[in-house]
Amino acid sequence: QVQLVESGGGLVQAGGSLRLSCAASGSTFSINNMGWYRQAPGKEREFVAAIARAGSPIYADSVKGRFTISRDNAKNLVYLQMNSLKPEDTAVYICTVTTPRQYWGQGTQVSVSS
């Protein structure tokens, strides 16, 4: 079992930045990929970014060039640096890891005002 706790969400103006963190605990030795999804009100959950244990990040087209994912394997942390935020980035951001079983956090709210 893996438990995930996100932090770092909040309210920011368009063009601003936020940094999300996700801490994993439990059977962390089995974690392979770490990543982020997001879900806006009335919309389906969508992929944002992911990173393998050895690196190699991938991003959704909508966030490429603005968001950066990174991880600290020693501390079982994954980060999402979000720059140049837009109102359409408003959503609950949810951390996920695979072991390969997939685990999800509770999410952290990100709100971007215009």
Side-chain angles (χ1 to χ4, degrees), residues 34-77:
M34 305 182 83
W36 294 90
Y37 280 66
R38 67 186 182 187
Q39 188 163 20
K43 294 188 177 181
E44 293 188 355
R45 187 173 295 185
E46 65 173 357
F47 170 78
V48 175
I51 184 167
R53 174 169 285 274
S56 303
I58 57 174
Y59 299 95
D61 287 343
S62 58
V63 307
K64 277 181 183 176
R66 300 187 298 123
F67 291 9
T68 302
I69 189 171
S70 60
R71 62 188 285 174
D72 183 331
N73 291 329
K75 296 181 179 179
N76 301 307
L77 293 166

Side-chain angles (χ1 to χ4, degrees), residues 13-37:
Q13 289 188 330
S17 299
L18 283 174
R19 188 193 195 206
L20 306 183
S21 301
C22 174
S25 60
S27 300
T28 57
F29 62 89
S30 60
I31 292 175
N32 295 319
N33 296 327
M34 305 182 83
W36 294 90
Y37 280 66

